[in-house]
Amino acid sequence: CRALIEQDRKRGSKDLRTSNDIGPPPVYQHHRYSQDEAFWVAKAIEKLNGQGMPLSEIAVLYRTSMQSRALETAIRRERIPYQIIGDVSFYQRKEILDLTAWMNLLVNTKSEPHFRRAAGTIKGLGQTYITRAVDNAFKAQIDFMASAHTLSTLSSTRKVTREALRGFVKIVNTCQEMAKDPARLVGVLGEIVASLRYKDHLKATEKKPALLQDRLDNVDEFIRVWATYVQEEQSEGREPSLSAFLEEIALEWEPREDGRKVKDAVSLMTIHKSKGLEYDSVFIVGVNEGIIPHVRSIGDSVATSEERRILYVGMSRPRRVLSVTSYTYGTGFGNGPAPEFKPSRFLPESWLIRK
């Protein structure tokens, strides 16, 4: 920690000392893929717990909230109880619920909850007409998208609402056609986001810059998850589908036990949320250039200094064991290659790797 923060010449030197017995040296582990990193952390947690360390004394820290998705997947598969501090699980975040509602609607246009949620993301379409479309569907015994189309043709429907309904129907029809074409299936989720101008919607409604970036990152991460699923299924000779993907994530992310909080559970959180907290063992994951320091800070000395301080906060959380990890390849995006990362510049500064 001291070696890291001493690189910031604008801050005074911090001579950290502990009253605890001298523990093991920090561990640094580099992985080829981000998924490998997540499963290594899960296995390391199991090992620590097997050696007698309570899960409640173990924390996993990350720079941005979207990084929790891979960790949650790995930890759930190992059946390790966990809690997210200051946030909710990846698939329970509003933007992810919006997009999964759209995917479900493409599969089943008779699903009222998914129709209502998807319709709620359409600019110019208010709750009055959404409810009218639902009521009309039940009365005429037709699916909700057919009802939306019917309302879009009525002169009694306001012009701005007619246009919104037509746009809604067009997006659904376009994406359903894409989903039938194996060559275009991978682009379905990206098409939804682009057609809705969903990122513009987030920019207009989320006033806090840090939270906005987290939400945008979550959207991109979900697009990557979908693309990876499609590509892996096709490479194995299987036929990927929206319904199979949705079933997979529903099974993997179903509520644990009866929903009650588990006392002995691993804590997952962003480094920001860890201020003032201490644990016997701390993992800091994704310590890559472009993640920490964040890509937005690169080239800005003041912002880079703040990123260094953030990592310093994380590295000073453990009482006994510190483990730091990085990886080379993240999850792929669309049809493009998986993004490639280098270890963070802060790792040699903290003496975890050689310069």
Side-chain angles (χ1 to χ4, degrees):
C1 290
R2 183 171 62 188
L4 175 65
I5 206 65
E6 282 179 350
Q7 301 298 317
D8 189 348
R9 293 176 175 80
K10 293 184 179 180
R11 295 179 182 269
S13 175
K14 296 181 182 289
D15 188 11
L16 294 181
R17 297 181 183 277
T18 178
S19 58
N20 296 335
D21 294 335
I22 296 176
V27 173
Y28 169 65
Q29 187 79 20
H30 181 78
H31 300 272
R32 185 171 177 81
Y33 295 103
S34 56
Q35 298 97 319
D36 298 337
E37 175 191 60
F39 281 97
W40 180 86
V41 169
K43 290 295 185 182
I45 290 170
E46 279 191 323
K47 183 177 180 180
L48 287 170
N49 186 234
Q51 293 171 346
M53 183 178 291
L55 293 175
S56 59
E57 284 297 336
I58 302 172
V60 185
L61 311 182
Y62 35 84
R63 174 64 181 84
T64 64
S65 67
M66 65 92 176
Q67 291 174 267
S68 76
R69 199 274 314 167
L71 291 164
E72 288 186 80
T73 296
I75 288 172
R76 278 176 174 266
R77 288 184 182 177
E78 297 299 324
R79 299 185 176 277
I80 299 171
Y82 74 94
Q83 59 181 341
I84 297 184
I85 306 298
D87 205 345
V88 295
S89 292
F90 181 81
Y91 285 96
Q92 293 301 313
R93 293 168 191 167
K94 182 182 182 302
E95 54 275 14
I96 305 304
L97 290 172
D98 284 347
L99 296 178
T100 53
W102 266 91
M103 298 175 88
N104 274 287
L105 181 63
L106 297 182
V107 173
N108 180 14
T109 54
K110 293 184 178 180
S111 171
E112 181 182 349
H114 297 128
F115 172 81
R116 285 185 176 275
R117 183 149 200 146
T121 65
I122 299 292
K123 186 177 181 180
L125 187 55
Q127 288 300 317
T128 297
Y129 275 94
I130 293 173
T131 298
R132 190 171 296 178
V134 170
D135 291 344
N136 181 63
F138 284 122
K139 184 177 180 180
Q141 296 187 329
I142 56 178
D143 70 58
F144 297 115
M145 293 313 303
S147 179
H149 171 71
T150 298
L151 287 181
S152 73
T153 65
L154 300 179
S155 59
S156 58
T157 303
R158 292 190 310 160
K159 182 179 178 181
V160 64
T161 304
R162 289 202 305 269
E163 292 175 352
L165 287 166
R166 287 172 189 150
F168 184 21
V169 172
K170 183 179 179 181
I171 296 171
V172 170
N173 289 341
T174 297
C175 291
Q176 285 180 327
E177 288 302 312
M178 290 180 67
K180 296 175 185 176
D181 183 353
R184 301 171 65 204
L185 178 63
V186 72
V188 166
L189 188 52
E191 179 67 24
I192 293 170
V193 172
S195 297
L196 288 175
R197 296 184 178 178
Y198 190 73
K199 291 186 178 182
D200 289 339
H201 164 71
L202 293 180
K203 291 173 183 177
T205 56
E206 181 55 72
K207 303 304 180 184
K208 296 181 179 179
L211 291 180
L212 170 61
Q213 191 58 53
D214 280 347
R215 297 185 70 186
L216 294 172
D217 288 344
N218 287 336
V219 171
D220 286 341
E221 175 70 4
F222 190 41
I223 295 174
R224 285 191 286 265
V225 171
W226 164 248
T228 299
Y229 159 78
V230 173
Q231 291 162 353
E232 288 182 350
E233 290 295 289
Q234 290 176 339
S235 67
E236 294 292 331
R238 296 188 291 265
E239 293 185 8
S241 68
L242 285 166
S243 57
F245 173 75
L246 291 166
E247 287 174 8
E248 184 176 300
I249 62 175
L251 287 172
E252 191 165 299
W253 295 86
E254 63 184 0
R256 300 186 306 276
E257 299 176 352
D258 58 0
R260 293 179 298 181
K261 289 187 177 180
V262 181
K263 290 184 178 179
D264 192 26
V266 175
S267 296
L268 275 61
M269 71 194 88
T270 63
I271 299 175
H272 280 103
K273 295 291 194 301
S274 72
K275 292 178 182 178
L277 303 177
E278 289 186 342
Y279 297 86
D280 282 348
S281 179
V282 170
F283 296 84
I284 307 179
V285 301
V287 186
N288 297 330
E289 198 72 8
I291 296 179
I292 186 165
H294 196 279
V295 64
R296 299 193 310 273
S297 71
I298 294 175
D300 183 332
S301 60
V302 174
T304 299
S305 176
E306 177 62 17
E307 293 288 304
R308 182 183 290 109
R309 188 192 68 79
I310 290 171
L311 183 57
Y312 168 82
V313 168
M315 293 177 70
S316 58
R317 297 308 91 198
R319 300 188 194 96
R320 294 173 53 193
V321 184
L322 171 64
S323 301
V324 178
T325 62
S326 61
Y327 54 82
T328 300
Y329 297 104
T331 309
F333 193 102
N335 289 312
E340 185 172 350
F341 293 93
K342 295 179 180 179
S344 171
R345 68 185 71 181
F346 299 147
L347 292 173
E349 289 183 4
S350 58
W351 299 352
L352 284 173
I353 62 175
R354 292 183 180 181
K355 293 185 179 180

